[in-house]
């Protein structure tokens, strides 16, 4: 379960910003949207929102939040701040780190990222500051200027000024229980510390506490899924296992529910040399055991194809309790289908593993008090200094002229600019300039 994500000087987010999945205080509506978890060693029950929708105009920074989460995940799992040899075309910033710093800065400032989440056993708070130089500075000798890890609200290590400070706790190596052991581990940790390597993924994992490190890293690897530029996402599978056959059966039924006329679907190789590359096919005719299939990319509508590639990922998230970030989740898919998928995450009888869905959109239909709580509706806007900022509908409060109440018409108020994060555009003058110029040229 994700509780909070923090960022500063990452792309359009120059100033410190927080994306919170912690419920706003005193908000009582839509209690079924809340997830709760008890962590041993922490008195207070941890609560999180099961979903969140992000609004904002083009170029406001909505996608940069998802990009930043993906960036942190990539760096943590890679274990260093070197550029990746395998280029990520969907999120190039995760591969080429000089793209990360805010481009408007004239002086160097570290990229700061932090995240708080819950595993089965722990509450994890991880923060890191990366000195990457200025935007597009490929020659800068980058290094990690700060790194810290808290487990169950207690500090395990802090890295600052090139040194590691380890705290005594019962989660670390047993040698940490003695003064001599702590000195030895501190010495080994600092001697083996590389300025471009994460201590979490290297020294802490190998020397201090492999068990804790592996649980933290497995959350990033298995329980956090980011679909950046989701319109390009394509999933493949095999029809061999009984589980995948069931998924295909459910997928076929779901596709029919949104209007597909295909009899069923299958994953098959596309005939290329890559035997692992499977393509989704539509079964359009079936007679006496013989099937006529066609590549779904050719036969189905674009919206249907997007839905068919998205739906298995939703199933997987619900099955495994994944935190699922989706960039432009609803693009080309009917709002009623999206609403139904959102309601799956809100249904505690189905969402037993406490999965979370977070997505950005331009569709105002989700500005609905019967679908989302006020603290689930987020906005991203640009300040006067051109820095992106994040806030939620619940931040307006409920009283006074600017207050937001559950009975308000959120969609109407958004379009009359009550909440900000909306741009007024008028292309009439631009088009008129072109037509007038063409008219003068002809005359």
């Amino acid at each position: 379960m994700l509780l909070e994500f923090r960022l500063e000087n990452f792309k359009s987010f120059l100033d410190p910003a927080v994306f919170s999945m912690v419920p706003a205080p005193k908000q009582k509506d839509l209690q079924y949207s809340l997830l709760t978890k008890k962590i041993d060693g922490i008195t207070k029950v941890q609560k999180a929102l099961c979903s969140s929708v992000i609004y904002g105009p083009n170029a406001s920074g909505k996608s940069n939040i998802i990009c930043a989460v993906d960036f942190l995940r990539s760096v943590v799992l890679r274990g260093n701040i070197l550029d990746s040899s395998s280029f990520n075309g969907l999120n190039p910033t995760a591969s080429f780190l000089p793209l990360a710093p805010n481009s408007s800065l004239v002086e160097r400032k570290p990229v700061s990222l932090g995240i708080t989440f819950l595993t089965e056993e722990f509450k994890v708070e991880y923060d890191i500051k990366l000195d990457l130089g200025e935007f597009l500075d490929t020659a800068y000798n980058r290094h990690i200027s700060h790194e810290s890890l808290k487990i169950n609200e207690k500090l395990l290590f802090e890295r600052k000024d090139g040194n590691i400070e380890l705290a005594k706790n019962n989660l670390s190596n047993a040698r940490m229980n003695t003064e001599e052991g702590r000195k030895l581990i501190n010495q080994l940790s600092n001697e083996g510390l590389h300025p471009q390597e994460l201590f979490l993924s290297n020294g802490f994992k190998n020397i201090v506490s492999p068990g804790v490190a592996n649980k933290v890293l497995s959350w990033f690897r298995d329980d956090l899924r980011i679909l950046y530029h989701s319109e390009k996402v394509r999933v493949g599978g095999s029809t061999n296992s009984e589980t995948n056959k069931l998924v295909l059966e459910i997928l076929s039924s779901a596709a029919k529910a949104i209007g597909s006329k295909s009899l069923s679907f299958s994953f098959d190789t596309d005939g290329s040399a890559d035997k692992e590359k499977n393509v989704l096919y539509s079964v359009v005719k079936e007679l006496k055991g013989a099937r006529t299939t066609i590549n779904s990319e050719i036969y189905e509508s674009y919206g249907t194809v997007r839905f068919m590639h998205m739906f298995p990922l939703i199933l997987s998230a619900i099955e495994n309790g994944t935190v699922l970030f989706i960039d432009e989740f609803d693009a080309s898919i009917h709002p009623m289908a999206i609403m139904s998928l959102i309601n799956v995450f809100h249904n505690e009888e189905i969402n037993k593993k406490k999965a979370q869905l977070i997505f950005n959109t331009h569709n105002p239909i989700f500005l609905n008090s019967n679908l989302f709580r006020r603290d689930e509706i987020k906005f991203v806007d640009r300040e006067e200094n051109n820095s992106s900022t994040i806030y939620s509908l619940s931040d307006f409060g409920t009283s006074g002229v600017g207050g937001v109440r559950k009975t308000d018409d959120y969609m109407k108020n958004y379009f009359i600019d009550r909440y900000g994060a909306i741009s007024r555009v008028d292309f009439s003058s631009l088009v008129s300039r072109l037509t007038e110029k063409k008219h003068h040229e002809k005359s």
Side-chain angles (χ1 to χ4, degrees):
M1 287 166 52
L2 176 68
L3 298 182
E4 187 177 276
F5 181 73
R6 302 169 289 278
L7 65 166
E8 179 181 0
N9 189 36
F10 183 89
K11 297 177 84 71
S12 63
F13 287 91
L14 174 60
D15 301 323
V18 177
F19 180 85
S20 178
M21 290 296 285
V22 177
K26 300 180 181 179
Q27 187 169 321
K28 304 298 182 183
D29 45 322
L30 304 187
Q31 291 292 302
Y32 55 74
S33 292
L34 297 183
L35 304 173
T36 60
K37 190 175 184 64
K38 183 69 176 72
I39 299 292
D40 290 342
I42 301 179
T43 304
K44 188 177 179 180
V45 173
Q46 303 297 302
K47 295 181 180 180
L49 302 169
C50 67
S51 62
S52 189
V53 57
I54 308 170
Y55 282 94
N58 292 112
S60 62
K62 299 187 306 298
S63 294
N64 286 343
I65 297 173
I66 298 175
C67 175
V69 177
D70 189 28
F71 178 91
L72 178 61
R73 178 182 184 272
S74 176
V75 167
V76 166
L77 294 180
R78 200 159 61 232
N80 61 62
I81 55 171
L82 300 173
D83 293 335
S84 175
S85 57
S86 56
F87 183 73
N88 183 346
L90 297 180
N91 183 9
T93 310
S95 303
F96 185 60
L97 276 64
L99 290 171
N102 184 280
S103 60
S104 66
L105 282 178
V106 293
E107 296 182 355
R108 289 194 304 271
K109 180 180 178 182
V111 172
S112 299
L113 299 170
I115 192 167
T116 303
F117 59 88
L118 305 178
T119 68
E120 284 298 318
E121 302 174 55
F122 303 137
K123 179 179 181 181
V124 179
E125 298 173 68
Y126 181 68
D127 288 276
I128 191 167
K129 288 186 178 181
L130 312 177
D131 196 344
L132 304 176
E134 297 177 17
F135 179 69
L136 290 184
D137 187 350
T138 57
Y140 185 74
N141 187 21
R142 64 185 73 156
H143 63 277
I144 299 166
S145 58
H146 182 269
E147 185 183 6
S148 65
L149 175 69
K150 289 182 180 180
I151 298 293
N152 295 348
E153 303 178 350
K154 295 180 179 178
L155 185 70
L156 263 66
F157 76 79
E158 185 172 21
R159 171 188 197 164
K160 55 184 179 181
D161 301 325
N163 292 309
I164 294 292
E165 295 180 8
L166 296 170
K168 179 182 178 181
N169 61 83
N170 58 4
L171 296 174
S172 300
N173 189 313
R175 291 185 179 180
M176 288 287 291
N177 294 326
T178 67
E179 185 66 26
E180 183 180 346
R182 282 195 299 276
K183 287 182 179 179
L184 176 61
I185 291 176
N186 264 293
Q187 180 183 351
L188 292 173
S189 297
N190 282 287
E191 287 179 353
L193 186 64
H194 191 282
Q196 294 181 335
E197 288 185 345
L198 275 65
F199 184 63
L200 168 67
S201 313
N202 296 282
F204 183 77
K205 175 186 175 183
N206 297 326
I207 302 173
V208 183
S209 184
V212 172
N214 284 326
K215 284 183 171 62
V216 173
L217 295 174
S218 69
W219 186 88
F220 278 101
R221 183 179 57 251
D222 303 325
D223 298 331
L224 178 62
R225 184 75 183 267
I226 301 104
L227 305 182
Y228 192 65
H229 290 308
S230 67
E231 75 278 5
K232 298 179 181 179
V233 170
R234 294 293 181 266
V235 298
S238 168
T239 57
N240 295 331
S241 72
E242 290 301 317
T243 299
N244 285 335
K245 286 179 180 178
L246 177 59
V247 170
L248 278 173
E249 182 182 325
I250 295 172
L251 176 60
S252 299
S253 299
K256 289 177 182 178
I258 65 166
S260 173
K261 304 305 178 186
S262 298
L263 299 177
S264 60
F265 296 89
S266 65
F267 283 108
D268 294 300
T269 57
D270 62 354
S272 65
D274 186 0
K275 299 299 183 182
E276 298 298 320
K277 185 178 179 181
N278 290 328
V279 175
L280 185 66
Y281 283 88
S282 300
V283 178
V284 295
K285 187 183 294 185
E286 198 162 16
L287 184 64
K288 296 180 180 179
R291 299 191 308 173
T292 301
T293 63
I294 185 170
N295 189 321
S296 297
E297 299 272 354
I298 300 172
Y299 182 70
E300 309 285 350
S301 72
Y302 177 70
T304 301
V305 171
R306 275 214 70 223
F307 179 85
M308 290 189 294
H309 283 288
M310 193 72 65
F311 193 71
L313 301 175
I314 299 292
L315 291 177
S316 176
I318 293 295
E319 182 181 8
N320 298 300
T322 305
V323 180
L324 182 60
F325 280 85
I326 307 182
D327 186 31
E328 300 290 355
F329 176 36
D330 60 322
S332 303
I333 301 176
H334 196 278
M336 294 302 290
I338 296 296
M339 285 184 181
S340 181
L341 293 177
I342 293 169
N343 286 332
V344 167
F345 285 83
H346 288 179
N347 190 327
E348 62 183 9
E349 295 299 319
I350 298 175
N351 189 13
K352 296 179 180 180
K353 294 289 187 68
K354 305 181 189 299
Q356 292 169 292
L357 172 66
I358 301 160
F359 68 98
N360 57 27
T361 184
H362 290 288
N363 193 335
I365 197 170
F366 306 114
L367 288 166
N368 187 325
S369 61
N370 293 316
L371 188 62
F372 285 111
R373 293 162 49 102
R374 282 161 288 177
D375 48 8
E376 290 181 295
I377 299 174
K378 316 289 188 184
F379 298 100
V380 176
D381 206 357
R382 290 283 187 113
E383 299 288 351
E384 291 183 1
N385 66 350
N386 210 29
S387 174
S388 295
T389 183
I390 309 169
Y391 55 96
S392 69
L393 204 55
S394 60
D395 291 337
F396 288 87
T398 58
S399 60
V401 177
V404 178
R405 287 160 285 276
K406 183 182 177 182
T407 54
D408 289 350
D409 187 334
Y410 300 163
M411 186 191 300
K412 175 185 174 182
N413 289 340
Y414 179 59
F415 279 112
I416 62 175
D417 203 8
R418 284 276 301 276
Y419 310 139
I422 190 170
S423 60
R424 297 295 179 187
V425 292
D426 184 358
F427 299 120
S428 302
S429 61
L430 298 177
V431 177
S432 295
R433 283 174 56 190
L434 177 63
T435 54
E436 287 173 5
K437 183 178 180 181
K438 294 287 186 181
H439 176 72
H440 288 308
E441 289 174 351
K442 288 182 179 179
S443 59

